[in-house]
Amino acid sequence: MLVFDHTVLLAMAIIFLGSFVQSAIGFGLAVVAAPLLFLVSPEYVPAPIVMVALFNSLFNAYKYRNNIALGGLKMAIYGRIPGSIMGGILLLYVSSSALSLWLGVMVLLAVLVSFLPVRFEPTPNRMAIAGVFSGFMGTSSSIGGPPMALILQHQDAASLRGNLAAFFVFSSIISLAVQYFIGYLHWDLFIKTLPLLPMGWLGYVVAQIVVKHVSKEWIRISTLVICLVSALTAIIRGLS
């Protein structure tokens, strides 16, 4: 039975923030939310975040459906499968403190990726490799966006959001399937996730309004600051 205590309310606020970021710039829900939610309750990572990511991605994929090129995502989706299996294997052997450290490192990696001036053309081989890394990171930590964002970052805003959202729909389903088979997804976690879903939707709605009045760069810089703080907090917890 779900009790709406301060922990649940805090988790709802964090999911709202993460969903807002993802809907505004194309990815970032788990990058923002995972380390913070892990501090609230380790049970929120990774499966509940992946469920919210799937929910949020469905809205974004529908909104940008005319900008999605599924053919170009095919190799990345194929790569996501073995990557997710490897991520599931990692989950079977890591402790709570190790997972906290892993989350922090993944977020710092995501921040580093956002500053890279390198331009990668989305060739089939690179998409497949990005899919493998996305699957490994996304299934083990819920943070699977950075590898794909790095490959697709030079697309126009609508195509970036649409293609990332479409990829996250398929990749979230794959990760959840792996997490289910290794025991990281069960009925109690589904119930625990239910209060988070409306906040995922609310973050999406607010982002559609705000992005018209606030520059994408300001949102990006604010997100990076939040990510740095949450990543360092998770790393300190993992090392303590």
Side-chain angles (χ1 to χ4, degrees):
M1 182 177 178
L2 183 65
V3 179
F4 277 83
D5 57 13
H6 70 282
T7 298
V8 177
L9 295 176
L10 185 56
M12 292 169 66
I14 293 170
I15 283 295
F16 168 79
L17 178 61
S19 179
F20 169 83
V21 170
Q22 176 140 330
S23 299
I25 65 177
F27 81 105
L29 191 156
V31 175
V32 172
L36 297 175
L37 281 178
F38 192 84
L39 295 176
V40 173
S41 171
E43 285 191 332
Y44 282 120
V45 183
I49 297 182
V50 177
M51 282 188 271
V52 177
L54 172 59
F55 183 73
N56 180 273
S57 297
L58 287 169
F59 287 111
N60 281 295
Y62 180 77
K63 177 177 175 61
Y64 296 104
R65 60 191 180 279
N66 294 328
N67 303 97
I68 295 173
L70 282 178
L73 296 173
K74 180 173 63 176
M75 294 304 297
I77 294 172
Y78 290 159
R80 179 85 187 203
I81 298 172
S84 295
I85 293 172
M86 289 187 289
I89 293 172
L90 178 67
L91 277 178
L92 289 174
Y93 295 100
V94 297
S95 63
S96 178
S97 59
L99 182 56
S100 180
L101 183 61
W102 175 244
L103 285 170
V105 171
M106 288 300 97
V107 174
L108 287 181
L109 177 62
V111 173
L112 175 63
V113 164
S114 69
F115 284 110
L116 288 178
V118 205
R119 183 186 183 104
F120 292 104
E121 293 299 327
T123 63
N125 286 340
R126 286 173 179 166
M127 291 291 279
I129 293 170
V132 171
F133 278 100
S134 177
F136 178 69
M137 294 165 59
T139 302
S140 61
S141 69
S142 75
I143 303 172
M148 290 300 297
L150 178 61
I151 294 292
L152 300 176
Q153 65 179 319
H154 296 290
Q155 293 186 342
D156 65 86
S159 295
L160 175 65
R161 291 169 182 157
N163 285 315
L164 283 176
F167 175 77
F168 291 148
V169 169
F170 289 101
S171 62
S172 296
I173 293 172
I174 295 169
S175 288
L176 289 172
V178 172
Q179 289 162 359
Y180 172 79
F181 281 110
I182 65 172
Y184 270 75
L185 174 61
H186 46 76
W187 181 251
D188 289 343
L189 283 181
F190 177 75
I191 297 299
K192 195 178 184 72
T193 306
L194 287 179
L196 307 183
L197 297 181
M199 302 309 291
W201 173 80
L202 186 60
Y204 164 81
V205 171
V206 173
Q208 307 313 307
I209 300 170
V210 172
V211 292
K212 299 175 183 177
H213 306 287
V214 179
S215 72
K216 181 179 177 181
E217 187 62 19
W218 187 90
I219 294 174
R220 176 175 172 271
I221 296 300
S222 301
T223 300
L224 292 178
V225 171
I226 295 170
C227 290
L228 281 172
V229 173
S230 64
L232 292 174
T233 302
I235 290 173
I236 291 170
R237 172 171 177 164
L239 293 174
S240 61

